[in-house]
């Protein structure tokens, strides 16, 4: 069994060790309430044992245990591949497939090359009026494809003509540097262009790069009839500026296969004219640099973390069910308490009426008592003057 932790194992231990220690302490300590029964103590420890299981399940899940599925052999190509791409205005001439730019064909062929030579290092070199190393040798094919996806031709208004051999010195320098740093790796060169020489001078020779080139190809794009070229403005608004004009009509770019064939001869590789309905004929990688990388642990592992995840889900379900039951029990206890204020009066609804009649009787008695008191008071007043008269007579 192997482990592929989601985070560093030491950090994982530091995260879960205090939590597990706290749960274990609560689990084993004796309850302070002396009035607890044996069943209550047992339930308390069972509850915290389940919580400890949840912590351990989460820990195991993040460790990502697995079983190696056996050793596998992965083809790896120990070679350096330099891609030389034409980025002049003619590379967007619309005669690839059904009126698509030639650059789309270049992108598709580069993806095919990447898939054909796994493990190789790739460098991207582009040229128009000048040559430029867009990406040095790297195994990051994702970055390579991304660079091609955003690749655009030179701005049309700044174009002053170009030579199909302008990249020869930079290519030789790149290959020589690769040969010096990694002499045991082979080197391949793939050239992508239409062969149009739009300057008056002759193309530069690629013969100096032949000594560093073990294999490769020159791919030609375009048709004999030619294709119109859209104006490249260099702006970010994406507005269509129309097509390049020549003598009042759309300028057409035509493939020059003679130039491309001569270039392939200089490099010592094959030339192929590319069409959208056929895959490129790629040479085999040099046998001295093709090996099989052994791999058995990473990339071919039966994952087992899902078992711990299922255990964690079950334990969380038990915890949530228990919480729901406690909430329901608390609501049940609260409902009778609120109804006890009016409940005792409901069985005997006649008592309020009896109390009212007694109050009425008490009120009448009070009225009678008040009248008697008034009469007594009047008698007292009538007697007092008599006493005063008697006193005066005496």
């Amino acid at each position: 069994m192997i482990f592929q932790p989601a985070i560093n194992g030491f950090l994982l231990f530091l995260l879960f060790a205090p939590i597990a220690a706290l749960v274990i302490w609560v689990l084993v300590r004796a309850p302070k309430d002396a009035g607890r029964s044996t069943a209550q103590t047992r339930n308390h420890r069972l509850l915290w044992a389940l919580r400890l299981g949840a912590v351990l399940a989460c820990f195991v899940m993040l460790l990502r245990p697995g079983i190696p599925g056996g050793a596998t052999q992965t083809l790896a190509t120990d070679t350096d591949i330099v891609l030389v791409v034409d980025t002049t205005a003619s590379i967007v001439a619309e005669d690839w497939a059904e009126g698509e730019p030639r650059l789309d064909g270049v992108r598709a062929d580069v993806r095919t090359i990447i898939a054909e030579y796994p493990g190789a290092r790739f460098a991207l070199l582009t040229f128009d009026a000048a040559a430029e190393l867009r990406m040095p040798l790297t195994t990051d094919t994702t970055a390579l494809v991304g660079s091609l996806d955003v690749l655009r031709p030179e701005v049309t208004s700044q174009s002053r003509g170009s030579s199909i051999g302008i990249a020869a010195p930079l290519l030789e320098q790149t290959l020589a540097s690769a040969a010096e740093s990694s002499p045991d790796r082979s080197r391949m060169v793939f050239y992508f262009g239409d062969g149009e020489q739009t300057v008056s001078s002759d193309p530069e020779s690629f013969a100096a790069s032949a000594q560093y080139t073990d294999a490769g190809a020159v791919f030609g794009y375009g048709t004999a009839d030619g294709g119109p070229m859209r104006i490249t403005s260099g702006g970010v608004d994406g507005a269509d500026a129309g097509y390049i004009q020549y003598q009042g009509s759309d300028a057409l770019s035509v493939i020059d296969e003679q130039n491309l064939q001569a270039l392939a001869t200089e490099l010592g590789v094959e030339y192929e004219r590319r069409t959208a309905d056929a895959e490129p004929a790629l040479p085999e990688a040099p046998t001295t640099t093709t090996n099989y990388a052994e791999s058995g642990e990473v990339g071919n592992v039966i994952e087992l973390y899902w078992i711990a995840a299922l255990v964690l889900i079950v334990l969380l379900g038990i915890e949530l069910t228990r919480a729901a039951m406690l909430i329901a029990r608390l609501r049940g206890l609260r409902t009778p308490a609120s109804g006890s204020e009016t409940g005792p009066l409901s069985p005997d609804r006649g008592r309020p009426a009896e109390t009212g009649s007694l109050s009425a009787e008490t009120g009448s008695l009070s009225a009678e008592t008040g009248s008697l008191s008034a009469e007594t008071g009047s008698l007292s007043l009538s007697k007092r003057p008599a006493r005063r008269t008697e006193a005066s007579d005496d």
Side-chain angles (χ1 to χ4, degrees), residues 266-286:
E266 293 171 355
L267 282 173
V269 298
E270 296 295 326
Y271 164 70
E272 179 185 354
R273 182 185 170 208
R274 293 292 301 119
T275 58
D277 56 357
E279 292 294 326
L282 299 177
E284 294 184 2

Side-chain angles (χ1 to χ4, degrees), residues 192-322:
F192 308 85
D194 52 34
E196 276 196 305
Q197 182 77 3
T198 56
V199 292
S200 58
S201 61
D202 294 332
E204 295 83 349
S205 175
F206 284 88
S209 299
Q211 59 178 323
Y212 305 110
T213 305
D214 298 306
V218 173
F219 292 143
Y221 299 84
T223 60
D225 295 333
M229 301 166 285
R230 289 189 179 274
I231 296 175
T232 304
S233 62
V236 296
D237 55 355
D240 186 5
Y243 292 93
I244 299 175
Q245 300 296 305
Y246 178 72
Q247 295 182 352
S249 61
D250 293 342
L252 300 179
S253 172
V254 180
I255 187 173
D256 192 331
E257 293 190 86
Q258 184 177 355
N259 284 341
L260 294 173
Q261 182 63 61
L263 193 153
T265 302
E266 293 171 355
L267 282 173
V269 298
E270 296 295 326
Y271 164 70
E272 179 185 354
R273 182 185 170 208
R274 293 292 301 119
T275 58
D277 56 357
E279 292 294 326
L282 299 177
E284 294 184 2
T287 56
T288 57
T289 63
T290 303
N291 56 33
Y292 289 88
E294 293 289 337
S295 63
E297 294 187 357
V298 179
N300 193 26
V301 178
I302 301 175
E303 298 281 1
L304 299 178
Y305 70 90
W306 57 271
I307 299 177
L310 289 178
V311 173
L312 180 61
I313 291 174
V314 172
L315 294 176
L316 289 177
I318 294 174
E319 189 73 23
L320 291 175
T321 302
R322 177 179 173 275

Side-chain angles (χ1 to χ4, degrees), residues 17-332:
I19 301 175
L22 177 62
V23 176
I24 293 173
W25 179 77
V26 176
L27 174 64
V28 300
R29 72 182 180 89
K32 295 182 179 180
D33 189 358
R36 279 193 173 187
S37 63
T38 304
Q40 289 176 331
T41 302
R42 185 168 55 251
N43 291 338
H44 167 81
R45 289 181 174 174
L46 177 61
L47 174 63
W48 282 97
L50 292 177
R51 291 172 177 171
L52 178 61
V55 173
L56 294 178
C58 187
F59 177 74
V60 173
M61 182 178 64
L62 292 178
L63 279 179
R64 291 184 61 199
I67 300 175
T72 59
Q73 289 185 329
T74 303
L75 180 65
T77 307
D78 295 331
T79 188
D80 295 331
I81 300 177
V82 181
L83 308 174
V84 184
V85 179
D86 182 354
T87 55
T88 60
S90 60
I91 200 62
V92 292
E94 297 176 349
D95 56 358
W96 172 262
E98 297 180 358
E100 298 175 2
R102 295 171 184 172
L103 188 56
D104 289 353
V106 173
R107 294 185 180 118
D109 287 344
V110 170
R111 289 188 176 92
T112 303
I113 292 172
I114 292 173
E116 183 68 20
Y117 305 108
R121 296 192 304 178
F122 293 89
L124 177 61
L125 191 156
T126 64
F127 69 92
D128 37 53
E132 180 182 357
L133 183 62
R134 295 291 185 103
M135 179 176 293
L137 287 169
T138 179
T139 57
D140 189 353
T141 56
T142 302
L144 174 62
V145 172
S147 297
L148 284 170
D149 288 341
V150 299
L151 193 62
R152 295 294 182 269
E154 62 179 343
V155 177
T156 306
S157 60
Q158 300 176 0
S159 178
R160 297 295 183 269
S162 61
S163 172
I164 62 172
I166 191 66
L170 182 57
L171 175 62
E172 180 188 2
Q173 179 183 348
T174 303
L175 292 173
S177 177
E180 182 180 357
S181 61
S182 303
D184 56 334
R185 296 175 68 92
S186 64
R187 287 158 296 280
M188 304 176 72
V189 175
F190 290 93
Y191 182 98
F192 308 85
D194 52 34
E196 276 196 305
Q197 182 77 3
T198 56
V199 292
S200 58
S201 61
D202 294 332
E204 295 83 349
S205 175
F206 284 88
S209 299
Q211 59 178 323
Y212 305 110
T213 305
D214 298 306
V218 173
F219 292 143
Y221 299 84
T223 60
D225 295 333
M229 301 166 285
R230 289 189 179 274
I231 296 175
T232 304
S233 62
V236 296
D237 55 355
D240 186 5
Y243 292 93
I244 299 175
Q245 300 296 305
Y246 178 72
Q247 295 182 352
S249 61
D250 293 342
L252 300 179
S253 172
V254 180
I255 187 173
D256 192 331
E257 293 190 86
Q258 184 177 355
N259 284 341
L260 294 173
Q261 182 63 61
L263 193 153
T265 302
E266 293 171 355
L267 282 173
V269 298
E270 296 295 326
Y271 164 70
E272 179 185 354
R273 182 185 170 208
R274 293 292 301 119
T275 58
D277 56 357
E279 292 294 326
L282 299 177
E284 294 184 2
T287 56
T288 57
T289 63
T290 303
N291 56 33
Y292 289 88
E294 293 289 337
S295 63
E297 294 187 357
V298 179
N300 193 26
V301 178
I302 301 175
E303 298 281 1
L304 299 178
Y305 70 90
W306 57 271
I307 299 177
L310 289 178
V311 173
L312 180 61
I313 291 174
V314 172
L315 294 176
L316 289 177
I318 294 174
E319 189 73 23
L320 291 175
T321 302
R322 177 179 173 275
M325 293 174 63
L326 289 176
I327 293 173
R329 186 181 300 175
L330 289 174
R331 288 181 177 178

